[in-house]
Each structure stands twice: as C-alpha cells, then as structure tokens.
Amino acid sequence: MERVTVPPPMSLLAELTHRCPLQCPYCSNPLVLDPRVGELSTVEWCRVLDEAADLGVLQVHFSGGEPMARKDLPELVGHAVRRGLYTNLITSGVLMDEAALVRLAEAGLDHVQLSFQDVEVVSAERIGGMKGAQAKKIAAARLIVADGMPLTLNFVIHRLNVERIPAMFALAEELGARRVEIAHTQYYGWGLKNRATLLPTRAQLEQSERDVAAARARFGTWMAIDFVTPDYYADEPKPCMGGWGRRFLNVAPSGRVLPCHAAETIPGVVFPTVREETLAGIWNDSALFGMFRGTDWMPEPCRSCHRKEEDWGGCRCQALALTGRADAADPVCQRSPDRAVVDAALREVDDTGGNLAYRRVSGIK
Amino acid sequence: MSEGGITEDGIPAFARGTRLQHDRVRDQWIVQAPERAFIADVIAAEILQRVDGVASLRGIIDGLAAAFEAPREVIARDVMTMVRDLTGRQVLVWKG
C-alpha cells in the first residue's frame, strides 16, 4: 500500500486524571474511568510533552477529570512552556485558590478555560453534583481576571439551563471574561446516557441561536464567542475533531493515545499507549489512527459525497453509538440511511425534568 | 483604545496569552492565542516581529517601508488592515 505522509497534529488534549470533585452527567470522560493507580507519572507526562512538541503540536490543553487534582500540574505546565507549547488549563475551578494560581502563572500558564454548569446556583450544583461549587468558581474567575491571565468561561448547554444563556453572558461580562463558549452537549458516553433529559427541544435550540446572535451584536469584538450547536438538529454532520487523526491527539490518564476522547468505545482495535510506543509512532503508524483517516475507509453515501473532505464523514463515535457500526456515515447526515435513529431521539425529547445518571464510578450499569 | 481609533501614534503590544511564534516543524510563523493558533503569512510575520510594546505603529511602518523599499502609503494600508483585524481578535492591545 502506498505510504501517505501524515501532517503533524496541532493540538494535544492531556487528560491528566479522571478524578474530579464534580459529577456532570454529560462529562466527556468514558463510562469506565481510569483509576488513580494507573495514571502516568510526572516523568512520563514530561516525556509525552517533549514528544508532542517534537511532533509539531502547538497547543496543549491540560484537562481531566479535574487537572488541578494533580499536584504536579505547575511542573507539567512549566515543562510544556519550556518546550514552546501554548498552555491551556481546562478546569472546574473548584480547587483553585490564590496560591495555586500564583504557581500556575509563575510556571507560564497562558490561558484558563473555566467551566460553569449554570448561572443559577441550585441548578448549577444539581448538574455538577457538588454543593458549594458555584461560589468557588466565581472566586476562581475573579482571581484569574485580577491576575490578568486571559479567561474563557465555558457553559455546556442542555435542556436544564438553555433558557439562561443571556444570564451566562451577563455573568461573563460581570467577571471580566473576554471569551465565552456556549457549547450544546454532545451526545456520547455520559451525555448519551442522559440524552432524554438533556437534549433540548427545537424551539429551545432556536432561542439559543437568537440569544447568541444578540450577544454577538451587543459585545462586538469585546467578547469572543464560540457557539457549538447540537448536531442532532442539523442536516449535515460536523467535521468531528477536524477529521480523524488530522489535527488532534488525546492522551488519557493511563497513557492510551486516542484520536478523540470517545474513541475507546470503538471495538476490535488495540489502543496504543505512550508506555509502549512513541507519540510519533502512534500518530504516524498505528492501526487506530489510520483506521478512519482520510477518505479511503468511507462507505457510501460518504464516498461519493462532495462534502467528504469538509466533514470527513462526521463523527465515528456517534456512528458507532447510534448505528452499531463505527464505519457507517454519521447518522446525523440527511443522506445517511440511519438518519431515522436521530429523528426518533428528537421525538423522544421528554419534558419531565428527568433523572440524571451522574458521572461517577458507581453510576455504571 | 477602540478598534476604530487606531492611529500611527499608538503602540501595539501582544495581549497577555498571545504571541508570535516560529513553528519549526512546519517552518512557518504562527500567532498563538487562547484556544486557537493561526498562521501568520510572510507579511504578517514581518509586521508582528516588530511589535515589542515599545515601537509605535508609525515607527513600525517607517521601518518596513525602509526595509522593503516600498511606498509608505501601501505599507501603511496593509499594516493598518492587519492590526485592526488582530485587535478585533483580541491579539493586540494598545498603549499611547
């Protein structure tokens, strides 16, 4: 087979741990969480950062779980900074205090993305499953802004908070954040498990679009706004991760290397680990990264589709979760023979307030 | 300073959390910013390498016009377009 040169990755999601004080029912972590005992050591993470920089990664996103649960976070940030990597911390903020922020700032941390579950305290703490979290998050935001470090507020949107998007922008403005992410829940793993409770109605989605448009008009360039819509209501799939194995690497707490954070659901494939192989070897040569790279793997209707190099067939994990086949067209696509499964989910949007399966080890059935 | 109020007297600087960086793997210049990195083309890289928080926009334009032996008004127009764009993207901030 002809060997195709693979362009290097742009971005590394470093999931330092799956431990987290919060239990959000749409968490992007897998249903089976990595235990603390198997986590990569500081030395191992430093090697991963070295290999990422050499491979061409430009930005590293320290995430989790809650990455601040790792005591060596400032050390890892400092190591990444010395290798020229742009460092982003994706945090819930509940473990942030002034001393911790000073250590991170001194290590050279470039940016913080701080998650909020809602603006309304009772709802926020119901979604996150942690009492007292909201006040800690507000305090963390104030510390970051006072330091002068750029801050993004991240809101994951679903039926339980979608009506408060205008208040989310107001909170960002009051706290002094210059970037806001309004990201509708993506339905894999925990989110899929809770889909019936979380998926908004079409009317709610359309209202959220109007709310974001109004905020863009009001803030202009003062506030950078990222808006992610729920693809169930779209006719075309999203270019998940910018295409499988094209831009993005995810290293899980125990060292498995994945093209996206849900990829471990895919059956019949070996998940490579940094404990056994180099990042470059995994990126360029592993069966996992080659599996859905480019367009050769595609079935119809993707193979003959004019959009195949725009959306790259959509999301493999969504195809697997909804059709049972990871190599099917993303069923969100109007041309997919499986679109009916998405339409059925939309018809089942229930308005009862619902029960949530919280993201915790005991929540797995 | 507002985006529309940029003058040659202003002194541009990179906002905290943004920087110009040479990407040695791809041999190109990039602007690193929160949650994004974008490619700086050859002209943008020439301009941004002169942004040090000390030089005024006037000084930067003068320097480029001299270095490239190009009409100053052409350089000034290109520079103004680019710095307005990057100010709108929260990459550049202004003093003076």
Side-chain angles (χ1 to χ4, degrees):
Chain A
M1 198 171 88
E2 192 184 345
R3 173 69 190 273
V4 181
T5 308
V6 181
M10 309 288 287
S11 183
L12 167 68
L13 182 70
E15 289 183 337
L16 299 183
T17 180
H18 280 159
R19 291 173 282 139
C20 185
L22 270 68
Q23 306 172 29
C24 305
Y26 44 74
C27 183
S28 62
N29 288 164
L31 295 177
V32 181
L33 300 168
D34 281 356
R36 178 179 197 156
V37 60
E39 289 177 7
L40 295 181
S41 68
T42 307
V43 171
E44 287 173 310
W45 273 115
C46 286
R47 178 171 61 76
V48 169
L49 294 167
D50 289 340
E51 292 180 0
D54 290 341
L55 186 54
V57 166
L58 299 174
Q59 301 208 339
V60 57
H61 308 278
F62 291 105
S63 181
E66 172 49 65
M68 293 191 71
R70 289 272 304 217
K71 295 287 178 283
D72 56 357
L73 177 63
E75 192 178 340
L76 297 177
V77 168
H79 192 87
V81 168
R82 285 189 294 279
R83 294 307 313 262
L85 294 162
Y86 189 93
T87 53
N88 177 25
L89 173 63
I90 300 175
T91 181
S92 69
V94 300
L95 303 179
M96 183 73 84
D97 59 20
E98 192 161 7
L101 182 65
V102 166
R103 282 194 295 276
L104 291 165
E106 285 176 355
L109 182 65
D110 287 304
H111 170 250
V112 178
Q113 183 196 118
L114 179 61
S115 69
F116 278 87
Q117 283 63 46
D118 201 338
V119 283
E120 202 276 306
V121 177
V122 172
S123 170
E125 296 185 357
R126 177 184 175 227
I127 296 161
M130 179 183 170
K131 278 261 176 267
Q134 194 76 349
K136 292 179 197 294
K137 289 165 177 285
I138 301 274
R142 293 199 192 287
L143 284 170
I144 295 159
V145 170
D147 179 78
M149 196 180 285
L151 171 66
T152 295
L153 298 195
N154 165 277
F155 292 91
V156 175
I157 304 298
H158 42 72
R159 201 156 73 249
L160 308 179
N161 66 9
V162 66
E163 288 164 9
R164 286 182 287 280
I165 291 174
M168 295 172 191
F169 285 112
L171 178 66
E173 183 180 29
E174 186 214 321
L175 292 173
R178 297 285 305 276
R179 289 190 77 252
V180 176
E181 289 183 4
I182 300 290
H184 276 275
T185 305
Q186 304 295 304
Y187 296 99
Y188 328 111
W190 294 98
L192 183 58
K193 206 176 171 68
N194 289 299
R195 187 179 66 188
T197 310
L198 297 177
L199 189 63
T201 64
R202 185 177 291 275
Q204 286 173 323
L205 168 66
E206 288 170 355
Q207 182 60 45
S208 74
E209 290 169 339
R210 287 191 290 275
D211 291 340
V212 169
R216 286 197 166 125
R218 182 157 82 87
F219 292 113
T221 59
W222 179 254
M223 190 88 82
I225 298 170
D226 272 4
F227 182 48
V228 179
T229 56
D231 56 0
Y232 279 44
Y233 287 102
D235 295 328
E236 310 284 2
K238 60 181 178 287
C240 198
M241 314 314 293
W244 181 275
R246 287 179 58 81
R247 303 176 62 83
F248 184 88
L249 277 167
N250 177 23
V251 178
S254 62
R256 288 181 312 287
V257 186
L258 307 167
C260 74
H261 33 51
E264 281 176 283
T265 53
I266 292 172
V269 62
V270 175
F271 294 98
T273 162
V274 295
R275 285 184 163 140
E276 291 166 10
E277 295 169 74
T278 65
L279 221 46
I282 292 168
W283 178 259
N284 290 315
D285 301 321
S286 69
L288 178 66
F289 275 82
M291 206 168 190
F292 303 116
R293 189 178 259 151
T295 57
D296 286 352
W297 63 273
M298 285 181 177
E300 292 295 354
C302 302
R303 180 175 284 274
S304 56
C305 182
H306 67 286
R307 285 177 49 89
K308 70 179 173 184
E309 292 194 349
E310 289 170 45
D311 61 37
W312 304 101
C315 174
R316 297 302 86 226
C317 304
Q318 183 146 282
L320 174 69
L322 299 185
T323 75
R325 287 168 292 121
D327 64 351
D330 188 329
V332 158
C333 181
Q334 58 188 333
R335 294 178 271 296
S336 162
D338 300 303
R339 172 69 209 193
V341 298
V342 174
D343 292 329
L346 294 179
R347 282 195 301 275
E348 283 164 16
V349 170
D350 90 55
D351 249 329
T352 58
N355 294 314
L356 292 172
Y358 286 99
R359 174 248 197 232
R360 53 173 80 121
V361 175
S362 59
I364 301 163
K365 293 285 189 293
Chain B
M1 185 186 291
S2 75
E3 204 182 325
I6 293 169
T7 68
E8 290 196 14
D9 293 328
I11 297 171
F14 282 94
R16 180 145 168 216
T18 71
R19 61 177 181 261
L20 180 71
Q21 184 176 329
H22 186 251
D23 170 3
R24 66 188 161 75
V25 171
R26 299 169 189 80
D27 191 22
Q28 64 188 9
W29 288 92
I30 51 163
V31 174
Q32 292 268 37
E35 314 275 356
R36 69 195 65 187
F38 36 97
I39 296 169
D41 63 24
V42 179
I43 297 167
E46 283 291 342
I47 298 168
L48 291 174
Q49 284 175 80
R50 292 160 195 259
V51 170
D52 59 4
V54 178
S56 69
L57 200 56
R58 175 169 296 113
I60 291 171
I61 294 167
D62 288 344
L64 288 163
F68 292 94
E69 296 175 9
R72 191 182 189 283
E73 62 273 20
V74 175
I75 299 267
R77 197 172 56 227
D78 286 354
V79 170
M80 203 55 94
T81 302
M82 200 200 74
V83 297
R84 281 213 178 93
D85 176 52
L86 289 180
T87 303
R89 297 197 211 192
Q90 302 185 13
V91 170
L92 295 180
V93 293
W94 294 83
K95 309 184 216 172

